[in-house]
Amino acid sequence: MRKTAIRREREKIATLIADQRQKLGWSQRELSRRLTWHEMTIHLIESNERGIDVAELVDIAKALGLDPVEMMRLATAEENS
C-alpha cells in the first residue's frame, strides 16, 4: 500500500513540474537547458517514468521559481484536506 502512496506523490510532483513549466511558457527543452540536464530526463520525470531525489527536486523548484517545501506539502496533502 505504501508503494501506491509513493507513486501518487511522485505523480503529483511530476504534474506540479509540468504545470509550472507550461505556465512559464517553457518547453521541456528549455527547462532541461536551464538545469543543464538531458531533455529526456525532464520528459521521464513529467511522464512519471522516473522519480527524483531531494537534491533534484530543489534544483527543479529553483529553476521554476517554486518553493521545494511547498511542492512536497502539496504532493503529500490528502485529497480531501
Side-chain angles (χ1 to χ4, degrees):
M1 184 148 148
R2 181 71 189 131
K3 280 189 175 187
T4 302
I6 291 169
R7 281 189 225 126
R8 196 172 24 242
E9 291 158 0
R10 191 170 86 180
E11 185 176 324
K12 287 180 183 179
I13 290 285
T15 299
L16 288 168
I17 292 167
D19 289 350
Q20 180 67 7
R21 178 184 57 74
Q22 291 167 0
K23 181 179 174 185
L24 293 170
W26 295 352
S27 64
Q28 289 180 343
R29 178 174 288 160
E30 177 62 18
L31 178 56
S32 67
R33 185 190 68 76
R34 289 171 183 263
L35 291 165
T36 65
W37 295 1
H38 194 280
E39 185 178 348
M40 182 57 75
T41 303
I42 303 302
H43 168 75
L44 292 172
I45 291 167
E46 289 187 2
S47 63
N48 202 26
E49 295 177 49
R50 179 190 184 282
I52 57 176
D53 65 28
V54 173
E56 291 170 325
L57 174 68
V58 171
D59 290 343
I60 293 168
K62 285 181 181 178
L64 294 171
L66 297 172
D67 177 359
V69 174
E70 179 65 8
M71 289 177 72
M72 287 300 299
R73 189 191 66 74
L74 290 169
T76 58
E78 293 297 320
E79 293 294 321
N80 296 321
S81 294

